[in-house]
Amino acid sequence: MENTAIKLDNITKVFPGVRALNQVSFEIHEGDVHCIIGENGAGKSTMIKILAGVQGCDGGHVELFGTTVNFKSPEEAKRAGIGVVYQELSNFMHLDVASNLFAGAIPAKRGRIDYKALYQSARKILDACGLDYIDEKADMNTLSLGSQQMVEIASLMHENARVVILDKPTSALTQVEVDKLFELIHSMKKKGVTIIYISHRLDEVVELADALTVLKDGEHVATMPMTDEITKDDMIRYMVGRDVAYEYGVGTSKIGEVLMEVEHLSSGKAVSDISFALHEGEILGIAGLEGSGRTELLETLFGWREMTGGSVKLHGKEVSIRNPYDAKRNRLAYITKERKILGLFLNLDIQQNIAAASTERYVQGRVVRYSKIAENAKKYIDAMRIKCSGLTQKVLNLSGGNQQKVLLSMWLSADPDVVLIDEPTRGVDVGAKAEIHLLLRDVVSKGKAVVMVSSEMPELMASCDRVMVMYEGRCTGVLENRELREERLMTMASGYAD
């Protein structure tokens, strides 16, 4: 009988307006590579944070090698034998490899760093992990991303981690680096280390997994041994198997002339050779898994990210968008998914936020027309059905859905021709979702256009006239609304061109 390394029993985690995990239960066997898959928003990241002691759960409990644990901090989880390598690495980039391996416990002699012992010990650790090609004296910032990741994993092995969690570890690696990572994973497995592997890349799951767990919308769908009979198509069905029950007005606006033409757009490695035409009256969806380049595409169009190749035309005329000011001058609006960090002024009131993207409209001479600011804000509060105590209520105190409506109002006040919107309904309730989508449909019905990124496939299917699918910075296909099927979208988002 296989020993259980981790047992999750009815794990529940609730955030305001969102049940991230709902009574999730499954077991992970000792020494297995246990892959966890699911769409964006399935609950994978929340589960990792609970196991790693970053946050607690609101219900249920976790057992680690037969003992119930309730970690209060990442350090406590690490002492118990759980190590995590996140997608965003946490190395000390200004230090050398050896110092990273021994961070917090550098060998010393008579109060001074014992560099001879440090480098000798580091060399032994690297060699034991099969990392003979990494120089223990090299600065971390001179290593490739893959090698930096290997060092972080080697550090966990040095600390005798019994469970190693790898969060989408290959999202930015070359194939050579992926091969090296897989060699290290097999080496750890031979030493009895349990590996939890989070990935959107189904080929990797097929190659690595001893067992597989599927999460969907915070629910546990299935846990099973990985056998030859389980195909990528099977995994896709597990991930997306739900009915579509959204009606957001798709197909109700007249599609007109081409408003924006994007040709061979590139931005470093994040966005590569993207081309599409956007029409008046159209909502164009952008689908793809996390790390596919969806957000980076919007940032490039809005001038937040440098365009390294290609061109953009508006109304048939090529335009230069080098920064957000250029984008706004060319009547583009960008509604970020990070509304609390990058979108809103949380400590200012509603009327100030709504006026923020079009302040020039409210200045006459050197006089600010506060009555016009209030008049405009009231118009949008009524039109958007923003639930608030009044114009002067701080945005910080609004619900997520009403904050999103304020952000929409801010940019619609600037009267843009093209609205770029990233995750329009993230963290909002069902009622607010419908209202926001009907507002977007109203925008395009006036001859404007919307480019919308969403991780929710039912949302894309119910609201978009067409959907472009991205994978690793590239377009894998564009589908008309009548062609949209969740399984087809997931297949293309996993790198398989239509």
Side-chain angles (χ1 to χ4, degrees), residues 298-316:
L298 298 194
E299 290 175 345
T300 304
L301 290 171
F302 196 64
W304 273 13
R305 183 178 289 269
E306 182 184 5
M307 187 171 72
T308 56
S311 64
V312 177
K313 292 180 181 178
L314 289 166
H315 302 288

Side-chain angles (χ1 to χ4, degrees), residues 107-135:
K109 183 185 292 185
R110 291 190 288 275
R112 295 185 177 182
I113 295 174
D114 186 345
Y115 284 103
K116 182 178 180 180
L118 172 65
Y119 291 130
Q120 285 178 344
S121 299
R123 186 71 263 156
K124 288 179 182 178
I125 293 169
L126 293 169
D127 289 344
C129 292
L131 305 178
D132 55 297
Y133 59 92
I134 295 179
D135 181 358

Side-chain angles (χ1 to χ4, degrees), residues 136-401:
E136 68 276 14
K137 297 180 182 179
D139 288 341
M140 287 297 295
N141 58 18
T142 66
L143 301 185
S144 70
L145 187 61
S147 292
Q148 292 173 20
Q149 191 175 68
M150 301 298 186
V151 171
E152 193 161 340
I153 295 171
S155 176
L156 296 178
M157 297 305 295
H158 164 63
E159 293 167 350
N160 296 315
R162 301 173 69 189
V163 176
V164 172
I165 303 173
L166 303 176
D167 183 16
K168 296 178 279 295
T170 63
S171 59
L173 302 189
T174 66
Q175 187 56 51
V176 172
E177 291 172 329
V178 171
D179 293 340
K180 291 286 186 184
L181 173 65
F182 285 8
E183 288 176 14
L184 182 53
I185 288 172
H186 290 308
S187 174
M188 289 191 290
K189 182 182 171 184
K190 287 179 182 177
K191 295 174 183 177
V193 177
T194 304
I195 298 158
I196 300 175
Y197 191 94
I198 314 295
S199 182
H200 289 312
R201 298 180 174 179
L202 303 185
D203 285 324
E204 296 177 359
V205 175
V206 171
E207 182 173 347
L208 290 173
D210 296 304
L212 173 69
T213 288
V214 184
L215 299 177
K216 176 165 63 70
D217 298 332
E219 306 268 354
H220 174 253
V221 175
T223 294
M224 66 200 84
M226 193 67 190
T227 65
D228 292 339
E229 285 72 37
I230 299 174
T231 67
K232 287 178 289 205
D233 287 340
D234 294 328
M235 288 186 265
I236 290 169
R237 283 192 204 97
Y238 277 118
M239 284 193 285
V240 303
R242 71 167 84 87
D243 295 329
V244 176
Y246 296 92
E247 285 296 336
Y248 294 152
V250 66
T252 59
S253 56
K254 181 181 178 182
I255 306 299
E257 299 295 320
V258 172
L259 200 164
M260 172 190 274
E261 293 176 85
V262 175
E263 296 181 348
H264 306 294
L265 183 74
S266 295
S267 178
K269 294 181 179 179
V271 179
S272 182
D273 196 29
I274 295 292
S275 298
F276 64 87
L278 180 68
H279 296 78
E280 296 172 350
E282 180 179 33
I283 296 180
L284 173 68
I286 309 293
L289 298 169
E290 188 177 334
S292 63
R294 305 168 307 170
T295 294
E296 291 82 356
L297 172 61
L298 298 194
E299 290 175 345
T300 304
L301 290 171
F302 196 64
W304 273 13
R305 183 178 289 269
E306 182 184 5
M307 187 171 72
T308 56
S311 64
V312 177
K313 292 180 181 178
L314 289 166
H315 302 288
K317 180 181 177 181
E318 186 168 339
V319 295
S320 175
I321 300 177
R322 297 160 298 180
N323 51 54
Y325 177 79
D326 287 342
K328 184 171 175 289
R329 185 168 47 83
N330 283 287
R331 301 173 72 90
L332 269 66
Y334 177 39
I335 298 166
T336 171
K337 64 183 176 183
E338 301 291 352
R339 61 174 175 262
K340 290 186 178 181
I341 300 172
L342 301 174
L344 293 165
F345 302 94
L346 294 177
N347 284 313
L348 297 183
D349 63 32
I350 292 172
Q351 62 181 345
Q352 291 169 320
N353 271 271
I354 292 176
S358 53
T359 52
E360 66 280 357
R361 291 176 49 194
Y362 309 108
V363 178
Q364 190 171 9
R366 295 186 178 182
V367 178
V368 177
R369 302 289 299 276
Y370 289 103
S371 61
K372 292 291 185 184
I373 291 175
E375 182 183 326
N376 182 66
K378 188 175 187 313
K379 180 180 78 173
Y380 278 98
I381 287 172
D382 292 341
M384 297 274 191
R385 298 182 184 176
I386 298 172
K387 295 178 182 177
C388 60
S389 60
L391 299 177
T392 58
Q393 182 176 356
K394 284 189 176 181
V395 170
L396 177 67
N397 298 322
L398 297 177
S399 69

